[in-house]
Amino acid sequence: MRRTASERLAARRKFGMLVGTIGVALLLASCTGQPEPATQQGEGMHRLYLVMWIIALVLFVGVEIAIWGFPLAFRRRRGDNELPAQSHGNNVLEFVWTAIPAVIVITLFALSWQQINKVQAKEPVPDREIKVIGKQWAWSFDYGNGVTVVGENATKNSAGFANEPVPPRLVVPVGQNIEFKLQSDDVIHSFYIPATLYKLDVVPGQQNAFQVTFTKTSEDQPAHGVYSAGAFQGACAELCGTQHAQMLFEVEVVSPEQFDTWLRGKQAEANRSAGGAATATTTTAASQ
Amino acid sequence: MTTTLPAIKDLDGPPLGQTEDAGGLSMPLMGTVLFIASEIMFFATLLGSYYVLRSVNNPWPPEGLETLDLVLPLILTMMLLTSSITAHGAVWGIRNNNRTVFVTSLALTLLLGAMFLVGEIFDAVSLDFDFGSHGAYGSIFFTILGFHALHVLGGVIFFAYQTFAGMVGGFSPRNYQAVECGVWYWHFVDVVWIFVFFTLYVVR
Amino acid sequence: MATTEVRPEVAVGGVEVRQPYRATVLDWLTTTDHKKIAIMYFVTSVVFLCVGGTFAGLVRTQLMQSGERFMDGDTYNQVMTMHALVMVFLFLMPMIAAIGNYVVPLQLGATDMAFPKVNALSFWLVPLGGILMLSGFLVKGGAASVGWYINPPLSNSQFAPGNGVNVALAGLAILGASTTLGSINFIVTILKLRAPGMTMMRMPLFCWNMFVTSLLAVFSLPVLTAGFAMLWIDRNLGANFFNPQAGGDPILYQHIFWFFGHPEVYILLLPIMGVVSELIPVFSRKPAFGYKAFVFATLAIGALGTMVWAHHMFTTGAINVSFFAATSLLIAVPTGVKMFSWTATMWRGKVKWTTAMLFAIGFLSQFLIGGITGVFLGSGSIDFSVHDTYYVVGHFHYVLVAAALFGVMGASYYWFPKMTGRLLNEKVGKVQWVIMFVGTNMTFMAQQILGIKGMPRRIETYYVPAWNTLNLVSTIGAYLIGLGLLMWIINMLVARKRGPIAGDDPWDANTLEWATTSPPPYYNFDALPPIRSERPLFDLKHPAEGAEDAAESAEREHAGAH
């Protein structure tokens, strides 16, 4: 049974719309997937991401329609043994479709370049410095003056499987410019907080550092598995050995007042233990 | 759904056994050139690594290794450069059907190469550092030297075989491509040595 | 039936006379015939695809839900690392060598490769290197568990003391030598053995892509070999190249690895683009739209591909992000040119929806996704958020599975009749296509979304229950891909003996490999048609359009002379 031309056209449109809708749905699904940025630097990245997304979406839909539409529209009918017109190319068209992507790419580069410079920019004197120490397979955070948060390796059960880790909690103040100084003495790790839309490798023998300013607190964050409520997720993003997957941490962003209270408490704790240690072994912990 | 083709044999097609491109390098030489190109990338990586390691370490060369004795390496360089000339003589010899020149030059090349190797081993043993000492300096120094020596050894073995083949009547003015390929490879080994020598002993 | 003469060899080698078993085995073991070597490459590659695919299935099973305890961390890392190494070096690279070996000499109208014995050596090094690499599972400490880029310090003797990394390095060095020799062979064959009339600008696009791929391999593989040698010396002779505690530089290794690693992506992809550039014109019954643009785009991709390696290192804090972002983004331009030219080839054609064409269209539609996500990654800034997450995993699997594997499938449905004389089952092929198309998109789209949400790559398990659904989708998709591959293998095994007889030219194709019998005789051709364009067989079948082709090609030749 042969369909009329208009029926074919309608079917073709319907198919095109179906493919388009599925594509758009999938793309939007991954678009909305990006965590809400929690830092100044991350907000710029998120805006750029959305701009790129719209450009990508338009290109994606347009080209997919061509990829599926052309062979459907120009399919060979049964019994048709004639050759189609043998066109070898078209210089104008080829120039246009070289030039347009070139313009898009240059625009994207210009936008991206700004962001690269912004996320890599550093104040000469940050409000606060925190040393991040990655080791196989736990994170530790050093606030100076002996105040540290030390992560522990995940335990193993009798069958050799790692148990659920307890992520150490990195506490930082909102609205202050924080410099993370990254240090590793064993292998390469990567310090990754998804909500900052940023990560930097922790390379042994290399001084890596970056600055961020959190723009919101983490109090409304729900609990996620081993990550407790009220904190952003953090993880090691570079394969670092057997327990790479357990090398997690969480980031609690609090108001500066809360942070000062917390820091004072930790300081007192540190002084007590340093004092204890000094009397016992006369170490230099207090002077560090 | 098979289609019927016109009988190709009756057409005015190109003859079999001929090629579009008849000029330029012969196939073995072109293969050799490409092989040398890949070897150049290999040594470029090692030499590049030397300069990267040099830039991240201070002081370089490390303390205690400020001077290296240049006399023996210079003699070795001269020997290897001479062997490139004798290698060329071998090609000239076989091309002009002069078997004496061919075999003698090849044997001389082989001898110079072997002496270079012995000299280099002597030099390497006399150095008071090794792979693991003095940080990355010893590592990259001996790795470059060692890989170059392995390439010289490969050339020496190849020439030893060809000298023997030449003595028992192998090769002729119409059939000497294997010799030519070996000689081109030998020139490459020499040129790389110049870069190695300047990097390891002069620039440091 | 074809009217080219039935040659005595076909009858003898085919059905009537059977060689004794031992003679057949000996024949295959000692052959230097490019077609037999290609078939051996193909079989080896499919065997390793099964191995690598099993590893993939294990990995996806472990990641099906949070806190899964199917494999422990160390086992997982071994399986994940070997999955990558097997798929890249033992499936895709030999597969490309297989297609190239079979098709290039035939498309050029040559009798064999330039160096048949070297060709045999290249092949035999593959099972040797492969077995050596996989023997890691038997040595103390297990196989390499450090990821396929084998980054020090994790891979040095302190943190990876077992022999797994050593055998992996040795195996990879052997495979590298195999590919280097094979590539030299392709380059010389293409430069020296084209039949009279086949100028460079009349070469089929597949050959052009193999040419550029081979140049890239000769250029980049020795770099990797040097890097592996240095790492091996570090591990076994106590050197300090990459040991940061003793003046070494782990970032240097990453530069060396990616200086090879990025061209490698194009080494894998360009031949597949070449395959698609053959399939689309044949099944659209039109010439490739913009032959010259295709050639220049291929050259441009090859050239730019050597200048972008450090975009794999944006987060190391040790490189100039902007420079490498710029070069990386530029690659989108020639790639876009190819994409537009492919679609324009189908415009106003008369497209035959064969299985091979379906796979080519599948390649286009999924490569587009891989390409677009690549722009996000290459931009440098967005990469900071998605680097080393499942977004990257999804991206490169879109390129290497959803695109490259689909291209391999297309190639097999297209050239299988030439290799065996019998057609694969088209209906099974179409069902397989649907299963694989659904499977790849489920698997890798889910991974991309997970990556944007922040799931790091190479983790043995995760502790965020919110990621469960997407991971389950990904795992089911992976099983579907496996099912599709199983159907493909069964289809080939059945068709080899029982498939319909193909004849010389089942697809009404354009290039010289279809101007001889299926399978071709030992010496390939009895006679060649005149070669006046990149479609000599088409010109033969359609003299009027052939004259047009010849004029077009002469003009191109003229323009190329400047």
Side-chain angles (χ1 to χ4, degrees):
Chain A
M1 201 174 68
R2 302 281 308 236
R3 289 182 298 176
T4 64
S6 63
E7 270 171 354
R8 277 205 301 275
L9 197 67
R12 212 177 291 157
R13 281 218 184 106
K14 219 192 271 172
F15 186 82
M17 274 171 64
L18 186 71
V19 170
T21 318
I22 294 171
V24 171
L26 283 171
L27 284 164
L28 284 178
S30 34
C31 175
T32 50
Q34 192 172 42
E36 226 177 289
T39 58
Q40 242 171 39
Q41 291 80 354
E43 277 163 12
M45 296 273 266
H46 190 61
R47 274 196 300 275
L48 173 64
Y49 181 77
L50 292 180
V51 170
M52 282 181 71
W53 199 266
I54 290 161
I55 298 173
L57 189 67
V58 172
L59 281 174
F60 174 78
V61 173
V63 181
E64 285 291 345
I65 286 174
I67 289 171
W68 288 102
F70 291 178
L72 274 175
F74 302 108
R75 66 190 178 279
R76 192 183 79 114
R77 306 297 198 279
R78 189 166 297 164
D80 179 1
N81 287 322
E82 293 292 302
L83 279 179
Q86 301 289 300
S87 99
H88 286 267
N90 180 329
N91 286 342
V92 177
L93 202 58
E94 285 167 38
F95 175 77
V96 168
W97 72 42
T98 313
I100 290 177
V103 171
I104 294 176
V105 155
I106 290 167
T107 315
L108 281 183
F109 175 70
L111 294 173
S112 187
W113 191 36
Q114 286 181 323
Q115 277 313 314
I116 292 169
N117 290 338
K118 264 184 208 158
V119 294
Q120 292 190 328
K122 276 188 205 165
E123 296 289 328
V125 184
D127 296 333
R128 197 162 295 280
E129 275 184 20
I130 300 172
K131 197 168 167 198
V132 174
I133 301 137
K135 70 167 180 59
Q136 285 180 325
W137 295 278
W139 295 100
S140 297
F141 309 105
D142 186 344
Y143 291 80
N145 292 328
V147 177
T148 54
V149 174
V150 180
E152 301 284 342
N153 278 9
T155 52
K156 280 186 176 185
N157 71 7
S158 53
F161 289 97
N163 291 320
E164 283 198 352
V166 183
R169 183 168 277 210
L170 167 66
V171 183
V172 291
V174 71
Q176 291 187 8
N177 184 25
I178 302 158
E179 174 156 331
F180 290 112
K181 287 179 167 310
L182 310 180
Q183 181 196 319
S184 162
D185 297 326
D186 45 33
V187 302
I188 300 175
H189 305 277
S190 191
F191 183 68
Y192 177 34
I193 307 168
T196 61
L197 306 185
Y198 191 76
K199 68 174 68 65
L200 194 61
D201 289 358
V202 188
V203 185
Q206 186 178 309
Q207 300 288 324
N208 274 357
F210 69 100
Q211 296 182 349
V212 287
T213 308
F214 282 91
T215 49
K216 61 175 194 180
T217 62
S218 59
E219 59 192 357
D220 55 348
Q221 296 294 310
H224 274 296
V226 295
Y227 296 107
S228 39
F232 294 117
Q233 301 169 17
C236 175
E238 181 75 51
L239 179 65
C240 59
T242 314
Q243 289 196 29
H244 166 56
Q246 282 78 34
M247 194 171 161
L248 308 175
F249 63 98
E250 53 193 29
V251 187
E252 186 182 9
V253 184
V254 296
S255 69
E257 298 76 38
Q258 283 170 309
F259 178 77
D260 287 337
T261 317
W262 174 85
L263 194 62
R264 270 198 300 276
K266 289 294 276 187
Q267 186 72 65
E269 203 179 292
N271 290 346
R272 268 198 307 280
S273 64
T279 49
T281 62
T282 61
T283 61
T284 54
S287 67
Q288 273 178 356
Chain B
M1 60 187 292
T2 54
T3 29
T4 309
L5 295 178
I8 295 172
K9 264 193 155 170
D10 306 337
L11 286 163
D12 187 21
L16 289 168
Q18 289 187 15
T19 58
E20 165 73 17
D21 189 316
L25 290 177
S26 69
M27 289 205 301
L29 277 183
M30 189 181 274
T32 308
V33 167
L34 287 165
F35 177 70
I36 290 173
S38 77
E39 291 278 36
I40 287 173
M41 290 307 295
F42 181 86
F43 277 101
T45 309
L46 292 180
L47 291 169
S49 301
Y50 183 93
Y51 289 102
V52 170
L53 291 169
R54 181 174 182 258
S55 72
V56 298
N57 279 289
N58 195 21
W60 185 276
E63 279 170 43
L65 300 175
E66 283 81 4
T67 52
L68 280 182
D69 191 12
L70 271 178
V71 179
L72 185 56
L74 263 174
I75 296 172
L76 293 175
T77 307
M78 288 303 143
M79 279 163 58
L80 209 56
L81 291 181
T82 316
S83 76
S84 239
I85 300 169
T86 56
H88 223 72
V91 177
W92 183 88
I94 191 68
R95 199 181 274 161
N96 293 290
N97 206 14
N98 189 336
R99 194 161 291 271
T100 322
V101 171
F102 167 55
V103 173
T104 321
S105 314
L106 213 52
L108 254 170
T109 312
L110 154 66
L111 193 71
L112 283 165
M115 280 162 62
F116 172 88
L117 272 181
V118 173
E120 202 173 72
I121 291 167
F122 186 77
D123 185 46
V125 170
S126 72
L127 294 170
D128 49 0
F129 58 100
D130 61 43
F131 268 120
S133 69
H134 298 85
Y137 181 76
S139 312
I140 190 71
F141 187 95
F142 282 108
T143 300
I144 293 178
L145 216 58
F147 272 113
H148 182 262
L150 280 177
H151 282 76
V152 175
L153 182 65
V156 166
I157 292 170
F158 192 68
F159 282 147
Y161 164 73
Q162 289 194 332
T163 311
F164 175 75
M167 276 158 71
V168 298
F171 307 113
S172 72
R174 295 171 65 88
N175 172 26
Y176 62 91
Q177 270 179 332
V179 181
E180 213 175 2
C181 291
V183 169
W184 284 35
Y185 169 81
W186 193 251
H187 288 329
F188 152 76
V189 172
D190 281 5
V191 173
V192 167
W193 173 254
I194 294 173
F195 285 96
V196 170
F197 175 74
F198 270 92
T199 302
L200 296 187
Y201 292 95
V202 181
V203 178
R204 302 199 69 203
Chain C
M1 279 302 286
T3 54
T4 38
E5 288 171 52
V6 176
R7 298 171 184 82
E9 295 79 27
V10 178
V12 172
V15 202
E16 275 87 11
V17 182
R18 278 187 177 272
Q19 276 183 312
Y21 178 70
R22 228 175 47 200
T24 310
V25 172
L26 201 67
D27 186 28
W28 282 91
L29 288 179
T30 58
T31 186
T32 59
D33 174 14
H34 73 98
K35 298 182 290 297
K36 284 192 170 165
I37 289 175
I39 289 170
M40 291 197 292
Y41 260 122
F42 184 81
V43 173
T44 312
S45 161
V46 172
V47 168
F48 282 120
L49 171 66
C50 296
V51 175
T54 309
F55 291 159
L58 295 174
V59 164
R60 279 317 318 171
T61 305
Q62 166 68 19
L63 292 174
M64 194 156 30
Q65 56 174 340
S66 64
E68 175 72 48
R69 282 181 175 170
F70 175 67
M71 288 187 278
D72 63 31
D74 193 44
T75 315
Y76 175 86
N77 285 350
Q78 290 178 32
V79 171
M80 173 269 293
T81 302
M82 294 316 276
H83 160 69
L85 289 173
V86 167
M87 287 304 199
V88 170
F89 291 97
L90 292 171
F91 161 58
L92 267 176
M93 303 266 281
M95 181 55 84
I96 282 156
I99 302 172
N101 252 301
Y102 205 93
V103 175
V104 166
L106 283 168
Q107 282 195 337
L108 297 178
T111 48
D112 205 321
M113 296 283 282
F115 309 112
K117 283 179 201 156
V118 175
N119 202 18
L121 174 67
S122 301
F123 165 71
W124 285 106
L125 289 176
V126 172
L128 180 70
I131 290 166
L132 194 57
M133 207 161 87
L134 285 168
S135 70
F137 282 107
L138 306 174
V139 303
K140 194 161 154 272
S145 59
V146 292
W148 83 284
Y149 21 101
I150 320 185
N151 269 355
L154 185 61
S155 62
N156 72 14
S157 50
Q158 186 189 348
F159 299 104
N163 264 324
V165 176
N166 287 342
V167 291
L169 290 175
L172 287 166
I174 290 173
L175 293 169
S178 155
T179 306
T180 309
L181 290 175
S183 302
I184 291 174
N185 218 339
F186 278 122
I187 296 171
V188 178
T189 306
I190 286 167
L191 288 177
K192 300 295 286 186
L193 290 183
R194 280 166 287 124
M198 181 161 293
T199 56
M200 286 301 270
M201 288 310 260
R202 285 184 200 154
M203 237 178 16
L205 286 167
F206 176 71
C207 293
W208 261 111
N209 280 275
M210 280 305 293
F211 181 60
V212 176
T213 274
S214 304
L215 285 175
L216 276 177
V218 169
F219 174 79
S220 65
L221 266 162
V223 176
L224 180 75
T225 311
F228 280 172
M230 286 155 80
L231 184 55
W232 196 90
I233 292 169
D234 255 12
R235 289 177 55 83
N236 296 291
L237 301 175
N240 297 313
F241 288 112
F242 309 125
N243 177 5
Q245 264 86 41
D249 184 5
I251 298 296
L252 170 64
Y253 177 87
Q254 296 195 16
H255 276 294
I256 292 174
F257 184 87
W258 290 115
F259 190 84
F260 149 80
H262 200 82
E264 169 72 6
V265 175
Y266 295 103
I267 292 170
L268 297 174
L269 200 64
L270 282 176
I272 304 301
M273 289 176 159
V275 168
V276 172
S277 306
E278 293 295 315
L279 298 188
I280 288 180
V282 165
F283 292 115
S284 305
R285 312 191 74 205
K286 277 178 66 196
F289 191 92
Y291 175 95
K292 242 176 19 189
F294 266 118
V295 170
F296 288 131
T298 308
L299 290 168
I301 291 173
L304 284 170
T306 62
M307 288 188 264
V308 300
W309 75 91
H311 69 212
H312 298 267
M313 302 162 60
F314 279 155
T315 64
T316 56
I319 58 145
N320 185 331
V321 176
S322 302
F323 173 78
F324 286 102
T327 52
S328 304
L329 287 177
L330 272 182
I331 292 195
V333 177
T335 314
V337 168
K338 283 197 165 194
M339 187 56 91
F340 292 130
S341 300
W342 283 320
T343 47
T345 305
M346 298 189 289
W347 173 257
R348 293 206 170 150
K350 293 194 173 168
V351 177
K352 290 187 204 163
W353 282 77
T354 58
T355 306
M357 183 62 175
L358 209 49
F359 274 110
I361 296 171
F363 168 94
L364 296 188
S365 76
Q366 302 185 100
F367 179 59
L368 179 66
I369 300 176
I372 287 178
T373 51
V375 171
F376 280 78
L377 291 168
S379 71
S381 48
I382 307 294
D383 185 70
F384 285 123
S385 76
V386 285
H387 184 79
D388 269 335
T389 68
Y390 260 85
Y391 190 77
V392 177
V393 178
H395 157 74
F396 70 72
H397 279 90
Y398 256 108
V399 175
L400 293 181
V401 179
L405 184 64
F406 269 56
V408 168
M409 294 295 135
S412 69
Y413 277 89
Y414 183 64
W415 279 304
F416 188 86
K418 184 49 66 180
M419 295 167 95
T420 61
R422 288 170 188 275
L423 291 158
L424 286 171
N425 189 317
E426 287 279 304
K427 280 200 185 108
V428 173
K430 280 170 186 157
V431 176
Q432 182 210 337
W433 182 89
V434 171
I435 290 174
M436 286 185 66
F437 190 78
V438 173
T440 47
N441 282 297
M442 277 171 74
T443 313
F444 305 124
M445 188 57 82
Q447 293 184 353
Q448 288 190 342
I449 300 169
L450 281 167
I452 291 173
K453 284 175 185 289
M455 177 169 164
R457 69 191 281 201
R458 294 174 159 176
I459 49 174
E460 152 234 348
T461 191
Y462 46 92
Y463 300 97
V464 180
W467 297 342
N468 275 346
T469 317
L470 281 167
N471 270 297
L472 185 64
V473 168
S474 181
T475 301
I476 295 170
Y479 292 163
L480 285 179
I481 299 173
L483 177 65
L485 289 175
L486 210 60
M487 288 175 68
W488 176 60
I489 292 170
I490 293 170
N491 195 354
M492 287 192 296
L493 288 176
V494 172
R496 196 173 70 91
K497 295 269 186 235
R498 304 214 189 105
I501 300 288
D504 295 357
D505 181 21
W507 310 119
D508 194 7
N510 298 337
T511 41
L512 287 177
E513 74 268 35
W514 306 101
T516 181
T517 50
S518 306
Y522 171 68
Y523 45 85
N524 287 355
F525 298 96
D526 282 334
L528 287 169
I531 301 163
R532 302 199 193 94
S533 75
E534 82 274 14
R535 314 192 278 174
L537 190 60
F538 176 89
D539 301 347
L540 182 70
K541 290 182 282 193
H542 308 280
E545 287 82 0
E548 230 175 87
D549 271 13
E552 157 76 21
S553 151
E555 193 182 312
R556 190 191 295 154
E557 211 59 38
H558 184 69
H562 294 297

